[in-house]
Amino acid sequence: MNTTTQAALDTTGTTPLIEASQPGRLISLDVFRGLTVMAMILVNNPGDWGHIYPPLEHAEWNGCTPTDLIFPFFLFIVGVSLVYALDGVKRRGGPQGATLGRVARRAAVLFGLGLLLSLYPKFDFSVVRIMGVLQRIALVFFGCSVIFLNTSRRTQLWLAAAFLIGYAVLMQLVPVPGFGPANLEPTTNLGAWLDRLVFSEPHLWKQSRTWDPEGLLGTLPALATGLLGALTAQWLRRPDREPAAKVAWLFIAGGGLALLGLSWHPWFPINKALWSSSYVLYTGGLAMAGLAALYWICDVQGYRAWTRPALVYGVNAILVFCLSALLSRTFGLFKLALPGGKTGGLKEWLYEWGVAPHFADPRTASLVGAVTLISIWYFILSWMYKKGVVLKV
């Protein structure tokens, strides 16, 4: 990654960092991205994994908690962002080779960063996880960028529907080799079988080694999540619609998608690990409504005094995600004595001695530990924001 103190692409590699007063700039998009990555840091870094409030945990399998909204919201934002970055290129027409080359490079760097996080700190290539959060972001960014540059809005809508319906057919009708009829169980569904076939068990999610929540087949509906973001951005950029009409129709569309997802749930359950088609519609609808609300508040009404913390996180989103993961694993290398004769990493030591003793409820202490980390990162990112420093892919 390189550093710039002028107008630059943010860490998703898609959105120009320019003044809010310039035409087409969405403050709400940066705010949405910042709030999403703050939530991601919150749920990924509790003080104590054994004591977490239920809304801050993923659903065990079927279902959707607030935590299960975070990743699809981020992919939705990627879809919105790439339209603002690439729309000018598309409108100009002509050869797109250079643009596609830059898109491919950014996707490759994101995928590589994901592999680096999987390798660190042991760098054992025999068990490195191939897929992951950043890897899925990279694939969705690349796929949706290519689709956006080469298709119309109508085609993008039909492709999103085809991805969701096609995925449902594959998961629910195609027999699983070696297991029998199609099913949606963690280790015996078609997606899990494909991941084991392509990557082998040592290279899957280390908590299971038999299936991966960011698996290969699940990228298909994830592309639909990104396309919903791209379609939303194209609607917001229409010059022939008043802001109030844009917001109203986004709320209607978002509510309709969420209801459609809930209606599909009895047949193809809402499930983050499978990235089920109903999950895409439900979370995509909520993301659409969330962005519409922020667009009305921040960009139309101009209420921005409260947005600084989110903006600070939003312009360096991938940076803080990567560094928080690397720092947590680095702290784990230091083995220290904990209360009760146990040993743990530096992060656990700081929590057990500096946070936990001050709270009677261990879940509250765990939450305070996560909020403390968010606050520390805020001061670092705020300094970078003030200096105009943005690290980009």
Side-chain angles (χ1 to χ4, degrees), residues 257-281:
L257 287 175
L259 288 175
L260 187 58
L262 290 172
S263 299
W264 203 346
H265 173 72
W267 293 274
F268 193 6
I270 293 173
N271 184 303
K272 176 188 178 295
L274 295 176
W275 213 271
S276 62
S277 302
S278 58
Y279 175 73
V280 171
L281 294 175

Side-chain angles (χ1 to χ4, degrees), residues 128-355:
V128 62
R129 183 188 179 196
I130 303 299
M131 301 300 284
V133 170
L134 290 179
Q135 292 92 319
R136 175 159 286 182
I137 292 173
L139 294 175
V140 169
F141 167 60
F142 179 77
C144 289
S145 295
V146 173
I147 291 171
F148 168 72
L149 285 170
N150 292 282
T151 63
S152 65
R153 289 194 300 268
R154 183 183 296 274
T155 301
Q156 292 159 32
L157 180 60
W158 280 111
L159 281 174
F163 291 155
L164 296 181
I165 295 172
Y167 183 64
V169 169
L170 288 172
M171 293 293 288
Q172 297 185 281
L173 296 180
V174 176
V176 183
F179 291 98
N183 68 90
L184 301 176
E185 297 303 312
T187 61
T188 59
N189 68 75
L190 187 65
W193 169 81
L194 181 63
D195 288 334
R196 290 194 296 271
L197 177 68
V198 174
F199 303 122
S200 77
E201 291 188 2
H203 298 290
L204 301 182
W205 187 45
K206 67 179 181 179
Q207 278 82 348
S208 71
R209 295 301 188 194
T210 56
W211 60 278
D212 199 303
E214 278 78 49
L216 197 59
L217 192 58
T219 305
L220 196 64
L223 285 169
T225 299
L227 287 176
L228 288 177
L231 289 165
T232 299
Q234 291 169 83
W235 171 253
L236 287 173
R237 287 177 65 84
R238 289 188 60 166
D240 59 336
R241 294 290 188 274
E242 293 297 322
K246 293 178 181 179
V247 171
W249 280 110
L250 282 180
F251 272 119
I252 292 171
L257 287 175
L259 288 175
L260 187 58
L262 290 172
S263 299
W264 203 346
H265 173 72
W267 293 274
F268 193 6
I270 293 173
N271 184 303
K272 176 188 178 295
L274 295 176
W275 213 271
S276 62
S277 302
S278 58
Y279 175 73
V280 171
L281 294 175
Y282 178 67
T283 58
L286 295 181
M288 195 176 290
L291 180 60
L294 289 172
Y295 171 72
W296 181 257
I297 294 169
C298 300
D299 294 289
V300 179
Q301 299 298 319
Y303 298 132
R304 301 173 184 172
W306 61 278
T307 62
R308 182 178 173 85
L311 290 173
V312 162
Y313 267 85
V315 297
N316 274 307
I318 299 296
L319 170 71
V320 69
F321 174 79
C322 291
L323 288 184
S324 64
L326 290 173
L327 191 63
S328 177
R329 295 172 193 182
T330 301
F331 279 6
L333 299 175
F334 300 92
K335 301 303 180 182
L336 302 168
L338 302 178
K342 299 181 293 183
T343 59
L346 179 56
K347 179 183 174 182
E348 290 76 17
W349 184 85
L350 291 170
Y351 170 75
E352 292 292 346
W353 291 106
V355 178

